[in-house]
Amino acid sequence: NAGVTQTPKFQVLKTGQSMTLQCAQDMNHNSMYWYRQDPGMGLRLIYYSASEGTTDKGEVPNGYNVSRLNKREFSLRLESAAPSQTSVYFCASRDYAGPGSNQPQHFGDGTRLSIL
Amino acid sequence: GESVGLHLPTLSVQEGDNSIINCAYSNSASDYFIWYKQESGKGPQFIIDIRSNMDKRQGQRVTVLLNKTVKHLSLQIAATQPGDSAVYFCAGPSKAAGNKLTFGGGTRVLVKP
């Protein structure tokens, strides 16, 4: 059981290049999330998908787009990468059952992205 | 605004001693809180959670205490081991963010042999 798998693990881009980060989960979870983690800061939510077919903005969505391809896969796209998007990106999933549901999120091991 | 934050950025503890990691929150409407552990190069890993109608919850070598009066929660690790060296995050749902989790900045625990 792989859990949440993210690809690639590392990537270096030049400013202006585009990139899609891939995420897949095999736990049949309905909700999926994309976070970024910067030094000295906790995880900040970029976008999320409460269920297949829906996506919504999180705390820091500017410069990103997402696609919930199917129940398993949720991708994050940078259309024109900027140095400020240098970060570690984490994908997570959980079996969300509505407000008050405390099913924990399960995280992948991250994609380390550097933009020069 | 709503926030979940941690008092200390780094905690150094002797192997075998108990560790206490603290967290303050501002959203008194949170239904639950979660503690995550993040090892170097890995994603956050769920440790334990506590619902807001509880004061204490125990797991394997870990105990979480919730003090709703002062909006404070703590994670206690008994007999800290080298494998406990990691960054620990508290998180709670934010009403302002549609009940999505808000994470604190993290406390790094360093276990000295």
Side-chain angles (χ1 to χ4, degrees):
Chain A
N1 191 340
V4 179
T5 303
Q6 293 184 236
T7 55
K9 296 187 184 303
F10 302 94
Q11 185 70 47
V12 178
L13 295 177
K14 294 181 179 179
T15 297
Q17 286 186 312
S18 61
M19 170 79 187
T20 299
L21 308 185
Q22 307 288 350
C23 174
Q25 52 92 10
D26 61 4
M27 296 172 282
N28 202 36
H29 287 166
N30 52 1
S31 297
M32 297 185 73
Y33 307 81
W34 275 106
Y35 293 89
R36 61 178 288 173
Q37 185 176 38
D38 300 299
M41 302 182 73
L43 290 94
R44 292 185 292 169
L45 184 64
I46 304 172
Y47 269 95
Y48 69 100
S49 171
S51 60
E52 186 179 356
T54 68
T55 61
D56 285 286
K57 296 178 180 179
E59 181 184 356
V60 287
N62 291 344
Y64 305 95
N65 283 300
V66 290
S67 295
R68 183 73 183 268
L69 305 172
N70 46 56
K71 192 171 186 179
R72 289 187 66 247
E73 298 172 288
F74 188 39
S75 63
L76 178 72
R77 183 161 178 84
L78 288 71
E79 288 291 351
S80 179
S84 62
Q85 294 178 304
T86 293
S87 189
V88 183
Y89 291 85
F90 288 99
C91 176
S93 71
R94 72 164 169 162
D95 214 7
Y96 182 61
S101 168
N102 64 335
Q103 290 297 316
Q105 294 184 17
H106 297 259
F107 287 83
D109 284 337
T111 294
R112 283 142 188 83
L113 185 60
S114 293
I115 299 164
L116 308 177
Chain B
E2 296 177 337
S3 65
V4 179
L6 293 165
H7 293 305
L8 296 174
T10 303
L11 176 67
S12 186
V13 61
Q14 198 72 37
E15 181 178 356
D17 288 349
N18 296 336
S19 302
I20 300 176
I21 306 162
N22 296 304
C23 185
Y25 64 93
S26 59
N27 178 15
S28 58
S30 293
D31 294 320
Y32 62 91
F33 298 92
I34 301 178
W35 282 98
Y36 284 93
K37 172 186 180 183
Q38 186 177 23
E39 297 175 276
S40 180
K42 299 287 188 180
Q45 180 182 15
F46 171 80
I47 302 174
I48 192 170
D49 63 358
I50 185 168
R51 296 203 68 89
S52 59
N53 60 356
M54 302 169 68
D55 298 321
K56 179 179 180 180
R57 190 171 186 206
Q58 288 185 293
Q60 188 176 14
R61 280 201 308 118
V62 295
T63 300
V64 58
L65 300 177
L66 177 61
N67 185 331
K68 294 180 284 294
T69 301
V70 296
K71 298 183 181 179
H72 178 273
L73 69 158
S74 65
L75 178 71
Q76 301 179 7
I77 305 173
T80 310
Q81 301 170 359
D84 294 327
S85 292
V87 177
Y88 291 80
F89 295 95
C90 60
S94 166
K95 294 290 186 183
N99 284 310
K100 287 170 289 301
L101 287 182
T102 298
F103 288 80
T107 293
R108 181 175 300 279
V109 172
L110 299 175
V111 181
K112 296 179 291 185

